[in-house]
Amino acid sequence: MSKILIVYGTTSGSTGDVAETIADTFTGHEVDVRPLAEVTSLDSYDAVLVGGPMILGWHRGTLQFVLEHQAALSTKPVAYFITCLELARSADDTINGVPLFQDPQLGHAPKDPNKLSFKEKQTSAQSY
């Protein structure tokens, strides 16, 4: 059994709700769900998921957490998730070689995938 940490930054609380929902999918593992401020060490975890909302870029506290714990994160499996009010879906399944999962029920298809509007560019997975 692996010990997994799901750590998240949030502004309104909804990213914490998403983190709890993700935790429910890990059967057969010990999973801790913690806000950023409660985590000082990653040593006792086998894997880490880091999440935060997109508010004119990734949540500053979440980004700072990743930077502060970069050495520890580089030694174990890590995944990242974002929450956002709007997402323009992409046909891409990777970004810079990193696998990308987009829930097919969320987001919207761009009007013209070859010419994104300003708003579509700002809400694309590539921008995030």
Side-chain angles (χ1 to χ4, degrees):
M1 174 177 13
S2 297
K3 187 170 182 185
I4 301 169
L5 172 65
I6 302 176
V7 60
Y8 63 91
T10 189
T11 300
S12 64
S14 59
T15 304
D17 295 340
V18 171
E20 292 287 349
T21 300
I22 291 170
D24 291 342
T25 67
F26 286 100
T27 57
H29 300 280
E30 182 180 344
V31 180
D32 289 339
V33 179
R34 301 274 184 261
L36 297 170
E38 291 183 10
V39 178
T40 57
S41 173
L42 306 177
D43 293 343
S44 65
Y45 297 100
D46 300 307
V48 180
L49 278 78
V50 182
M54 282 302 196
I55 306 166
L56 299 174
W58 209 28
H59 184 266
R60 289 180 194 247
T62 307
L63 181 57
Q64 186 63 38
F65 178 89
V66 170
L67 293 173
E68 287 175 8
H69 296 278
Q70 186 174 2
L73 291 168
S74 71
T75 66
K76 54 190 82 212
V78 178
Y80 300 93
F81 69 94
I82 63 168
T83 55
C84 53
L85 291 176
E86 188 166 338
L87 176 66
R89 278 195 310 268
S90 169
D92 299 333
D93 58 357
T94 63
I95 293 178
N96 297 328
V98 176
L100 173 67
F101 170 79
Q102 300 173 84
D103 187 326
Q105 296 178 345
L106 301 176
H108 64 277
K111 291 180 183 176
D112 180 354
N114 297 315
K115 187 176 182 199
L116 300 180
S117 70
F118 176 79
K119 186 175 182 180
E120 290 169 338
K121 286 178 187 173
Q122 297 304 309
T123 60
S124 69
Q126 182 71 27
S127 173
Y128 289 147

